[in-house]
Amino acid sequence: MNKVQLFNQIQKKRSFLCVGLDPVMELIPEHLLEFENPVLEFNRQIIDATQDLCVAYKPNTAFYECLGLKGWETLQKTKAYIPESLFTIADAKRGDIGNTSNMYAKAFLSEAGEMNFDSITVAPYMGKDSVTPFLGFQDKWVILLALTSNKGHEDFQLLKHDDEFIFEHVLKVSSSWTTDEQMMYVVGATHPESFQKIRSIVPNHFLLVPGVGAQGGDLQSVCKYGLNSKCGLLINAGRSIIFASKGKDFAEKARAEALKLQVEMDLILSAAGL
Amino acid sequence: MNKVQLFNQIQKKRSFLCVGLDPVMELIPEHLLEFENPVLEFNRQIIDATQDLCVAYKPNTAFYECLGLKGWETLQKTKAYIPESLFTIADAKRGDIGNTSNMYAKAFLSEAGEMNFDSITVAPYMGKDSVTPFLGFQDKWVILLALTSNKGHEDFQLLKHDDEFIFEHVLKVSSSWTTDEQMMYVVGATHPESFQKIRSIVPNHFLLVPGVGAQGGDLQSVCKYGLNSKCGLLINAGRSIIFASKGKDFAEKARAEALKLQVEMDLILSAAGL
């Protein structure tokens, strides 16, 4: 999916919500345990209940890998179940030397592969040749970690080089490797104060923003400085939506949570004339 | 495997060689293509031919993930085939927010899991809470990226904060999170000049050193400053061993390449009185 198509979906659905599909076996509603693959059934029902309210789905590979071979299969089948009009993000945080990153790119982005995601999250520590192999696919995206939502962001992302934070160098340096048609950045909702500076460095890039909801980030604060003329934001909510209820009504409750965010997003888009 | 056991294996085998199990379908000898799982058969024969000459095996997950479901299964079966006396490294370069890293730790290190590796490589960018979940397993290890062997190491690892490189901060800060009984570092053989400084920061930690062989690093230069009183080095060679021949003699030629390194390592250990 290219940038124009993504913005079109946002305008059509009046939403820039991304739903994090990170199932935890212990939190799957009991009545689903009778299915041959409870996690897949859970994901399917979440997707059915939310797909008109969001523009993207983001399964984090960790939650599938910890289920072994069956988990990997569930990830593939979950991806395959997501309608093509939705933007798909493999939240894999990969990155390795060039020829190895090539293999990851093939695994997650290749149209000939079993996954065929629209995008993948990548860690920047190993530099340019660890990232560029993911850029060789038309209308597919790298979403590079910049300023993450967790406490540990303080350890290295906030070290300073020449009076600028390391994460700011990551934005500056990496944005020269390709255009805003192939690169997005992860910026946690837990740092609303940083969005103004970030937008001065990457005014046109889409930002994937986790940390709204369970992690405490606030949608209005993020949008105040994060929104740009093509929206430029994908706000991820995971646990607050998919685990809104552990009962038979889990999908209904997930929809209700997604709807709350979509309604708020509609107002934000309208106020911005988008 | 704990540190004493690893050093015992090194002394017994007169080797600190790690063999990188990174199979590429195009380079698998033709006569193996008739097997039901050519990659697994390739790995098995490499392991049979080299296990008395090395102390560790390091499959990189990228080379399995790009083969889809079958690849994931091959990774599990490869791990299961490695004898218990050898140290196993899941070269996965994972790292995510705390509860997500927990899932990766479960996938790769848990004894109850399908993998049960001795160690996993982890990327440091997301900081402490992205790394510590991997430290909750007895006699299992995190191998944290410090100074990598690729060209891209210049982009962010060599930025300076307070007159020290970012990778030096990674060493200093992360070495306070646990002991040298649970943490190792990745330092590329392509930076022999850096080993002296690195050893002043982490004198006792094991270092996993890729980049000897195909990437151009030199064993003697690395050992000059990298060796410590418990050896402290695992030297990885991948392509130069496993792809030494594409013929029916591939395992024999792989053994010959591993033997060359083992003989050199024996001399280095003896010269150091180890």
Side-chain angles (χ1 to χ4, degrees), chain B residues 29 31 42 72 87-88 92 102 124 160 181 198 223 226:
Chain B
H31 72 286
F42 176 80
W72 198 251
F87 188 74
T88 51
N102 252 325
K160 279 196 165 182
E181 310 266 328
I198 288 167
C223 291

Side-chain angles (χ1 to χ4, degrees), chain B residues 33-66:
Chain B
L33 299 181
E34 67 190 36
F35 283 84
E36 188 265 332
N37 186 337
V39 174
L40 182 60
E41 185 58 29
F42 176 80
N43 284 350
R44 279 183 178 153
Q45 293 197 30
I46 292 285
I47 293 167
D48 287 346
T50 57
Q51 61 175 281
D52 60 318
L53 302 173
C54 65
V55 292
Y57 287 107
K58 180 179 75 65
N60 186 306
T61 52
F63 293 83
Y64 301 86
E65 291 182 16
C66 70

Side-chain angles (χ1 to χ4, degrees), chain A residues 60-61 65-66 68-69 93-94 96 103-104 114 124-129 146 150 152 155-157 160-161, chain B residues 60-61 65-66 68-69 93-94 96 103-104 114 124-126 128-129 146 150 152 155-157 160-161:
Chain A
N60 187 306
T61 52
E65 291 182 15
C66 71
L69 205 56
K93 300 186 175 71
R94 300 297 199 263
D96 209 309
M103 298 294 155
Y104 281 129
E114 293 174 7
Y125 191 72
M126 294 182 69
K128 183 173 179 178
D129 64 86
N150 62 325
D155 292 322
F156 307 120
Q157 297 165 30
K160 279 196 165 182
H161 172 87
Chain B
N60 186 306
T61 52
E65 291 182 16
C66 70
L69 206 55
K93 299 186 175 71
R94 300 297 199 263
D96 209 309
M103 298 294 156
Y104 281 130
E114 292 174 7
Y125 191 72
M126 293 181 71
K128 184 174 179 177
D129 64 87
N150 63 326
D155 293 323
F156 307 120
Q157 297 165 30
K160 279 196 165 182
H161 172 88

Side-chain angles (χ1 to χ4, degrees), chain A residues 24 26 60-63 65-69 72-73 76 91-97 99-100 103-104 106-108 114 123-130 145-153 155-157 159-162 166-167 169-170 173-174 177 215 239, chain B residues 24 26 60-63 65-69 72-73 76 91-97 99-100 103-104 106-108 114 123-130 145-153 155-157 159-162 166-167 169-170 173-174 177 215 239:
Chain A
V24 178
E26 293 72 28
N60 187 306
T61 52
F63 293 83
E65 291 182 15
C66 71
L67 302 175
L69 205 56
W72 198 251
E73 189 187 357
Q76 288 180 356
D91 193 2
K93 300 186 175 71
R94 300 297 199 263
D96 209 309
I97 64 172
N99 79 317
T100 306
M103 298 294 155
Y104 281 129
K106 198 175 148 195
F108 288 102
E114 293 174 7
Y125 191 72
M126 294 182 69
K128 183 173 179 178
D129 64 86
S130 71
L145 300 184
L147 183 61
T148 58
S149 59
N150 62 325
K151 169 86 175 128
H153 81 280
D155 292 322
F156 307 120
Q157 297 165 30
L159 294 180
K160 279 196 165 182
H161 172 87
D162 282 350
I166 295 303
F167 83 85
H169 286 279
V170 167
V173 172
S174 66
W177 298 338
Q215 291 181 60
R239 286 170 274 175
Chain B
V24 178
E26 293 71 28
N60 186 306
T61 52
F63 293 83
E65 291 182 16
C66 70
L67 302 174
L69 206 55
W72 198 251
E73 189 187 356
Q76 288 180 356
D91 194 1
K93 299 186 175 71
R94 300 297 199 263
D96 209 309
I97 64 172
N99 78 318
T100 306
M103 298 294 156
Y104 281 130
K106 197 175 148 194
F108 288 103
E114 292 174 7
Y125 191 72
M126 293 181 71
K128 184 174 179 177
D129 64 87
S130 71
L145 300 184
L147 183 59
T148 58
S149 59
N150 63 326
K151 169 89 175 126
H153 80 281
D155 293 323
F156 307 120
Q157 297 165 30
L159 295 180
K160 279 196 165 182
H161 172 88
D162 283 349
I166 295 302
F167 83 85
H169 285 279
V170 167
V173 172
S174 65
W177 298 338
Q215 291 181 60
R239 286 170 274 175

Side-chain angles (χ1 to χ4, degrees), chain B residues 243-254:
Chain B
F243 301 131
S245 160
K246 226 197 128 173
K248 288 201 170 172
D249 62 349
F250 77 98
E252 197 181 314
K253 287 284 164 63

Side-chain angles (χ1 to χ4, degrees), chain B residues 5-270:
Chain B
Q5 291 166 330
L6 178 57
F7 183 49
N8 284 347
Q9 285 296 316
I10 289 171
Q11 288 199 298
K12 186 176 151 196
K13 289 181 162 174
R14 312 301 300 158
S15 169
F16 42 104
L17 177 62
C18 172
V19 174
L21 294 173
D22 305 341
V24 178
M25 195 52 100
E26 293 71 28
L27 298 174
I28 299 277
E30 259 188 57
H31 72 286
L32 295 184
L33 299 181
E34 67 190 36
F35 283 84
E36 188 265 332
N37 186 337
V39 174
L40 182 60
E41 185 58 29
F42 176 80
N43 284 350
R44 279 183 178 153
Q45 293 197 30
I46 292 285
I47 293 167
D48 287 346
T50 57
Q51 61 175 281
D52 60 318
L53 302 173
C54 65
V55 292
Y57 287 107
K58 180 179 75 65
N60 186 306
T61 52
F63 293 83
Y64 301 86
E65 291 182 16
C66 70
L67 302 174
L69 206 55
K70 182 91 176 177
W72 198 251
E73 189 187 356
T74 304
L75 177 58
Q76 288 180 356
K77 289 188 171 170
T78 297
K79 164 59 183 70
Y81 191 74
I82 300 171
E84 279 214 358
S85 62
L86 285 119
F87 188 74
T88 51
I89 302 168
D91 194 1
K93 299 186 175 71
R94 300 297 199 263
D96 209 309
I97 64 172
N99 78 318
T100 306
S101 271
N102 252 325
M103 298 294 156
Y104 281 130
K106 197 175 148 194
F108 288 103
L109 301 183
S110 167
E111 288 194 11
E114 292 174 7
M115 297 283 196
N116 194 15
F117 277 93
D118 288 311
S119 65
I120 181 170
T121 58
V122 176
Y125 191 72
M126 293 181 71
K128 184 174 179 177
D129 64 87
S130 71
V131 176
T132 49
F134 295 100
L135 297 170
F137 302 82
Q138 198 177 2
D139 296 341
K140 302 225 168 179
W141 300 72
V142 164
I143 309 181
L144 198 66
L145 300 184
L147 183 59
T148 58
S149 59
N150 63 326
K151 169 89 175 126
H153 80 281
E154 294 169 3
D155 293 323
F156 307 120
Q157 297 165 30
L158 297 190
L159 295 180
K160 279 196 165 182
H161 172 88
D162 283 349
D163 275 339
E164 290 196 308
F165 292 125
I166 295 302
F167 83 85
E168 294 172 349
H169 285 279
V170 167
L171 290 169
K172 282 188 183 176
V173 172
S174 65
S175 59
S176 73
W177 298 338
T178 181
T179 70
D180 57 27
E181 310 266 328
Q182 278 214 291
M183 182 83 89
M184 301 187 184
Y185 293 100
V186 174
V187 179
T190 44
H191 317 286
E193 76 290 352
S194 302
F195 275 80
Q196 197 168 13
K197 183 66 195 290
I198 288 167
R199 275 301 181 212
S200 76
I201 306 173
V202 286
N204 300 318
H205 285 73
F206 261 89
L207 306 178
L208 172 64
V209 184
V212 165
Q215 291 181 60
D218 172 61
L219 179 60
Q220 296 290 341
S221 311
V222 167
C223 291
K224 186 173 173 191
Y225 294 112
L227 212 66
N228 68 20
S229 67
K230 298 284 185 256
C231 180
L233 294 171
L234 292 174
I235 304 286
N236 184 75
R239 286 170 274 175
S240 63
I241 292 178
I242 70 173
F243 301 131
S245 160
K246 226 197 128 173
K248 288 201 170 172
D249 62 349
F250 77 98
E252 197 181 314
K253 287 284 164 63
R255 179 175 177 79
E257 287 299 315
L259 186 61
K260 269 190 228 167
L261 286 166
Q262 186 272 320
V263 167
E264 206 177 339
M265 287 174 178
D266 184 14
L267 292 173
I268 291 168
L269 288 170
S270 296

